[in-house]
Amino acid sequence: MLDESLLDAPERLTEADRRGLLRGAAEAGARVRTAARHAAEAGVGNLKPDGRPRAVLIAGPGAAATHAADLLGTLAGPGSPVIRLAPTGVAPAAGALRWELPGWAGSVDLLLIATPDGAEPGLSLLAEQAYRRGCTVVAVAPAGSPLSDSVSASRGLFIPMATAPYDHDEPLAGAAPGVLWALLTPLLVLLDRTGLLEAPPEAVEKVADRLDAVAERCGPAIVTYSNPAKTLASELAESLPVVWTEGTSAGPAGRRFAAALAELSGTPAIVADLPEALAAHSALLAGRLAAGADPDDFFRDRVEEPAALRARVVLLRDRPIGGLTAAPNARDLALGHDTPISELEPEAGGELETLAELIAITDFAAVYLALASGA
């Protein structure tokens, strides 16, 4: 059950935030600036790549690496050479995971390693394997971690991760807001140098500014009725979020939102892109998950009976391709099945800015839902 009174009690929210999730979301802009500075100090700005890499391989544990690969692949555009290396192993523990390079990987390929831990033996072995194959290796991880020594020994580039003192108070969640931006920002700066995507210093600074602006709108001191993240968290209580995305940037933001809901608050969610989502989820909204599925539900005695799980559509929109939009049809489908709908659309700006805004608001919403539900 969601404790809605907690949402408008900043002091209680702070007490409940044992994992530093709210702080990570609020300080996302600062993380971007610090991470960009670390990348510059590591010498990324002085690199002179000899053409674009044939493939960009990304390895790392958990949601942070997965989302970084998704975001970078989206920003690289059609025909993106970004490939995530999925780990194998018997458990999601640092010592149990292993990564393998594809058989074709070689000197014209770039390996990026992103981890908030840096103690995974499998990643150190991967760096050594890449060195033997002739791959260029770049890693982002906490300073002083075992991975930093392995990358240096492999003649790779190591970029210290932008961390905060409270990162080590509790085990870091892969979907934590601070972790994503600390790992993603140096990779954006690096791939800008290779010409794979556009993320010049001024664009990165605009991302940090947009994240600061969202933190002002969605912070714990802002009451629910004027706080889009708290409002969304309240709307998603006791529901199955059905996340529909439209626009280039909205896709990875929606996939990250679904993953963050699951990891941070234990809320299951499904996600799909418009217009395909209309056909894929039509039967779902017409079934027992629709708000109007049981005509006797309104009159049922709920004292001894848990509330039924009902779907709620969350529509994340960016700039529709070619000006075409499926949003009106999406609203008609949801409301036609008595399914409520929440909508988020970023303010105008560059692709990186709008992507950052969608991620930031949904990150705050996932955190508020986790804290208010006692997760």
Side-chain angles (χ1 to χ4, degrees):
M1 295 293 293
L2 187 78
D3 181 3
E4 294 196 32
S5 66
L6 185 66
L7 292 178
D8 288 326
E11 293 183 0
R12 291 176 59 202
L13 279 171
T14 301
E15 293 175 0
D17 188 22
R18 296 183 299 274
R19 292 178 288 177
L21 298 175
L22 265 181
R23 286 178 292 184
E27 297 172 4
R31 292 270 187 143
V32 168
R33 295 185 183 92
T34 302
R37 187 178 71 248
H38 286 181
E41 292 172 350
V44 172
N46 298 324
L47 295 178
K48 298 179 179 179
D50 185 18
R52 288 167 44 133
R54 176 182 63 178
V56 177
L57 309 170
I58 300 183
T66 301
H67 299 153
D70 190 10
L71 291 164
L72 293 173
T74 298
L75 293 169
S80 165
V82 176
I83 301 172
R84 176 180 175 261
L85 300 181
T88 58
V90 297
L97 295 175
R98 292 292 182 271
W99 289 262
E100 291 291 334
L101 288 176
W104 46 262
S107 59
V108 293
D109 302 310
L110 172 62
L111 172 65
L112 305 179
I113 300 176
T115 171
D117 187 338
E120 302 90 347
L123 289 177
S124 295
L125 293 173
L126 179 66
E128 296 171 5
Q129 182 186 10
Y131 173 65
R132 292 193 299 269
R133 296 270 201 95
C135 294
T136 300
V137 180
V138 178
V140 183
S145 61
L147 181 62
S148 65
D149 296 332
S150 300
V151 172
S152 298
S154 302
R155 299 184 181 179
L157 175 64
F158 179 80
I159 305 173
M161 175 182 168
T163 58
Y166 55 81
D167 281 347
H168 306 290
D169 294 343
E170 295 283 341
L172 284 173
V179 174
L180 173 68
W181 294 109
L183 295 179
L184 178 64
T185 303
L187 302 183
L188 285 171
V189 175
L190 175 71
L191 294 186
D192 175 72
R193 294 294 299 168
T194 68
L196 191 64
L197 51 80
E198 293 186 6
E202 55 272 20
V204 174
E205 183 60 31
K206 287 182 179 179
V207 166
D209 292 342
R210 184 68 66 99
L211 292 172
D212 287 344
V214 172
E216 292 179 2
R217 292 169 53 204
C218 300
I222 307 301
V223 295
T224 298
Y225 69 83
S226 59
N227 186 321
K230 287 184 179 180
T231 298
L232 181 57
S234 179
E235 291 170 345
L236 293 181
E238 308 301 326
S239 71
L240 173 68
V242 180
V243 183
W244 290 346
T245 67
E246 184 175 56
T248 304
S249 298
R255 290 187 285 274
R256 171 173 169 77
F257 186 35
L261 286 171
E263 182 175 356
L264 301 182
S265 68
T267 301
I270 57 177
V271 59
D273 298 330
L274 292 176
E276 290 90 346
L278 301 180
H281 295 160
S282 178
L284 183 151
L285 296 186
R288 59 184 178 84
L289 292 173
D294 185 354
D296 297 325
D297 184 67
F298 181 81
F299 301 100
R300 180 173 291 131
D301 183 1
R302 297 176 177 81
V303 174
E304 301 296 335
E305 184 178 338
L309 187 67
R310 299 300 187 205
R312 184 181 190 99
V313 170
V314 180
L315 178 57
L316 303 182
R317 300 182 65 208
D318 194 10
R319 294 160 294 182
I321 298 175
L324 298 175
T325 176
N329 288 339
R331 298 184 190 102
D332 290 344
L333 177 62
L335 298 178
H337 292 296
D338 295 324
T339 301
I341 183 169
S342 304
E343 296 190 39
L344 288 178
E345 185 172 352
E347 296 179 3
E351 186 175 17
L352 276 174
E353 291 176 81
T354 57
L355 176 60
E357 181 174 340
L358 285 175
I359 290 175
I361 295 176
T362 52
D363 273 352
F364 265 107
V367 170
Y368 284 129
L369 187 60
L371 298 179
S373 61

